[in-house]
Amino acid sequence: MKRIFNFSPGPSVLPLPVLERAAAEMTDANGSGQSVMEMSHRSKDYKPIIEKTEALLRELMGIPAAYKVLFLQGGASLQFSMVPLNLAAGEKPGESRGAAYIETGIWAKKAAEEGAKYAKVRVIAGSKDRNYTYIPEAPAPDPDDAYYHITLNNTIVGTRWPKLPETASVPLIADISSCILSEPLDVSKFGILYAGAQKNLGPAGTTVVIIREDLIGHAPAWTPALLRYDIHAAEASMYNTPPCYSIYIIGLVLEWLKDLGGIPAITKMNQEKAGLFYDYLESSKLFRSPVDKNFRSLMNIPFVCQVDDAEKKAELEGRFVKEAAAAGLVNLAGHRLVGGMRASIYNAMPIEGVKALINFMDQFEKGSK
Ligand SMILES: Cc1ncc(COP(=O)(O)O)c(C=O)c1O
């Protein structure tokens, strides 16, 4: 068997031991005589699986008791609607509350646009003026705002917040889809954290929502049942059928992470991987990072060829992505809206993958001259 190095931004690489264990348990999980895919979500066989997954997430992230953990569907994108619906929407049109958003990338922009359907959204800062290559100063919210929304790691443009904004008593809400469990995070600083699973947690299909209990129960009466945090919380994510198999794989990923040494160990590994890659980009005459040094992501690293002629640049970058794929280094094309290249190096990407990529880039650079 030959495994490729997959630099996809999501769905993305999963730890090999997790895939091997899932394969071994595929037809008979825990001596139950059935696959996890076949289990009723309310059965005695499945209950311990979801409970263990939640307990591991709480332990690894240090989630305080006053927060609920929900396993939902609809992707991180549905949280763009659920957050304003549950926190700011009014019983009648025109009665919605204010909400502050910081526009640090394309997902942050989408969150604000969707939020504006249910809340009085104000985008109070952003970095579009320089193609989102930095994180702006974060202004204080209006004290009456229902919440303050940020995207902690910007997957497409490769930036991350170096420190959290001060929001006083206004709840801070963060999309942590592409950085959950990659480094320490003080959950108690947030009102809601949410993440699509398909990057650092497991396969697509689950969205993890971590919500402070006092923020539950404020949705207007007209809110669809499936979009209400209070209903999901009261039913422990079992109001309807949850994404059972995806939650099971998340549990295996969390066990893998705990065995590695949890957040302290993975932080060190992520810093080492990203450090190697950024150091290489700094030393390269062909490739460079477009992102300001203070705001560079540990997880998603965009890079471009430093060639003035636009046509030559596009040709070189296209050839790079193609030749890298032929060498087993796949999914390196940048997002369709920004171009260039991007290496997503999530928790499960081994350091060998990063070294192989650097080596390939070095060879490509020598050959391109
Ligand atoms: C930061 C961020 N937010 C939201 C999304 C959208 O996630 P989903 O496809 O799960 O709705 C993505 C997807 O890559 C993302 O990176």
Side-chain angles (χ1 to χ4, degrees), residues 314-354:
E315 183 275 320
L316 207 55
E317 291 179 347
R319 189 155 60 77
F320 173 83
V321 170
K322 228 164 128 186
E323 290 182 12
L329 305 161
V330 309
N331 291 321
L332 282 163
H335 190 277
R336 63 198 146 78
L337 294 177
V338 299
M341 285 79 68
R342 171 180 46 166
S344 293
I345 52 172
Y346 295 119
N347 286 356
M349 172 58 67
I351 193 157
E352 291 74 30
V354 176

Side-chain angles (χ1 to χ4, degrees), residues 9 74-78 80 107 151 153-155 175 177-178 196 198-199:
S77 301
L78 190 59
F80 298 169
W107 294 114
T151 309
N153 184 80
N154 295 275
T155 322
D175 178 350
S177 293
S178 49
Q198 64 272 23
K199 302 167 197 297

